[in-house]
Amino acid sequence: MLIAITRKVSPAIQQCELTHLKRTPIDFELAEQQHAQYEKALATVGCTVNSLNAEPELPDSVFVEDIAIVLDECALITRPGADSRKPEIESIANALSPHRELMFVQAPGMVDGGDVLRIGKTLYVGLSSRSNQEAVEQMQQFLRPYGYVVKGVKVDGCLHLKTAVTQVTPDTILLNPAWINATDFPGMNCITVDPSEPNAANALLIGDTIIYPTAYPKTQARLAEQNIPMQLVDVSELTKAEGAVTCCSLVFVTK
Ligand code: CIR
């Protein structure tokens, strides 16, 4: 069974962390409705959605992806780079513990799940303002016994590695070449975002379908040309909090 852990939008989302965006008003009710549509899209592509209650004190807690990396063999609980997000750890660890053995990244390591792109047995980790080399080394130690290779990749100009690049088919990545080099991902075909849509590289691949924002029609056309099935969602309000589609769920197969 495919599970997606999500969490309802916090009523405090207006106080979210922002790194590359200016603060603009977020319509909370619209954000809730869009999040519900996102959960519906997850169900449509085959996920059983485990939707956690909102955390009224934790503005960014809807972005559950940043708190864990769930692999087939185990789950890694991150130590998120922003202090305001560290209290999100406990409830995500509780939600995952029935499904996976847990390992915890320790200080001075820090990593946000949004910086971790798994392609096969390789974990690419964005070295960003949220994730560091110490975490890469800890992850490599934890995961070597399972046959994973963990590689740091420099990220400049955007929040997370997966703001700049995501996987859209087994052998294709979607990327913004202004923020990341395709050569960092050897053996992968590459679709680039339309230059007028710099934030369009974040797609959530589940099975052979991507959950993808409605906001990027030009990049959407490039994906359609490659016959990539898409489930479109409007996430305009979550985008104002510097979130996108990968960041609102943890998707994995249950044993
Ligand atoms: C933050 O800055 O932590 C949140 N406002 C946005 C996190 C988005 N997470 C993600 O893309 N994985």
Side-chain angles (χ1 to χ4, degrees), residues 16-19 60 63 65-66 82 85 112-115 130 159-160 163 202 241-244 246-247:
C16 64
E17 295 283 341
L18 289 177
T19 308
D60 282 307
F63 302 124
E65 169 185 62
D66 291 320
R85 303 205 55 190
D112 281 7
D115 270 321
R130 299 289 179 86
L159 179 59
H160 287 134
T163 323
N202 188 268
E242 226 166 337
T246 63
C247 55

Side-chain angles (χ1 to χ4, degrees), residues 109-128:
M110 60 173 197
V111 58
D112 281 7
D115 270 321
V116 182
L117 174 64
R118 184 187 66 78
I119 299 180
K121 283 282 195 180
T122 303
L123 266 67
Y124 295 95
V125 181
L127 298 170
S128 68

Side-chain angles (χ1 to χ4, degrees), residues 15-161:
Q15 280 77 54
C16 64
E17 295 283 341
L18 289 177
T19 308
H20 295 276
L21 286 186
K22 287 218 169 76
R23 200 166 296 280
T24 51
I26 296 175
D27 180 332
F28 174 61
E29 277 177 21
L30 182 55
E32 280 186 308
Q33 285 165 24
Q34 291 178 345
H35 188 258
Q37 289 302 315
Y38 172 84
E39 289 180 329
K40 253 195 196 154
L42 287 169
T44 302
V45 297
C47 297
T48 297
V49 180
N50 175 5
S51 184
L52 306 177
N53 290 336
E55 291 271 14
E57 308 294 322
L58 301 176
D60 282 307
S61 51
V62 65
F63 302 124
V64 291
E65 169 185 62
D66 291 320
I67 312 303
I69 294 121
V70 188
L71 302 169
D72 287 346
E73 303 85 351
C74 62
L76 220 96
I77 304 297
T78 67
R79 184 170 171 272
D83 284 345
S84 70
R85 303 205 55 190
K86 293 187 172 77
E88 296 176 32
I89 290 172
E90 191 179 336
S91 64
I92 293 296
N94 288 341
L96 285 173
S97 62
H99 303 289
R100 292 290 191 276
E101 181 195 350
L102 303 184
M103 298 173 185
F104 292 79
V105 174
Q106 308 288 344
M110 60 173 197
V111 58
D112 281 7
D115 270 321
V116 182
L117 174 64
R118 184 187 66 78
I119 299 180
K121 283 282 195 180
T122 303
L123 266 67
Y124 295 95
V125 181
L127 298 170
S128 68
S129 60
R130 299 289 179 86
S131 304
N132 62 14
Q133 185 61 32
E134 284 87 344
V136 171
E137 282 159 23
Q138 289 180 35
M139 290 168 69
Q140 182 63 86
Q141 265 194 352
F142 290 142
L143 299 176
R144 190 174 288 118
Y146 301 112
Y148 289 93
V149 173
V150 183
K151 287 187 182 168
V153 181
K154 190 91 192 82
V155 174
D156 271 322
C158 62
L159 179 59
H160 287 134
L161 178 65

Side-chain angles (χ1 to χ4, degrees), residues 2-7 34-51 64 204-207 209-212 231-233 245-252:
L2 203 54
I3 300 258
I5 294 181
T6 59
R7 196 202 307 273
Q34 291 178 345
H35 188 258
Q37 289 302 315
Y38 172 84
E39 289 180 329
K40 253 195 196 154
L42 287 169
T44 302
V45 297
C47 297
T48 297
V49 180
N50 175 5
S51 184
V64 291
L204 174 58
L205 177 64
I206 299 179
T209 302
I210 57 169
I211 295 184
Y212 193 70
Q231 186 75 36
L232 297 178
V233 287
V245 287
T246 63
C247 55
C248 295
S249 55
L250 287 164
V251 179
F252 54 91

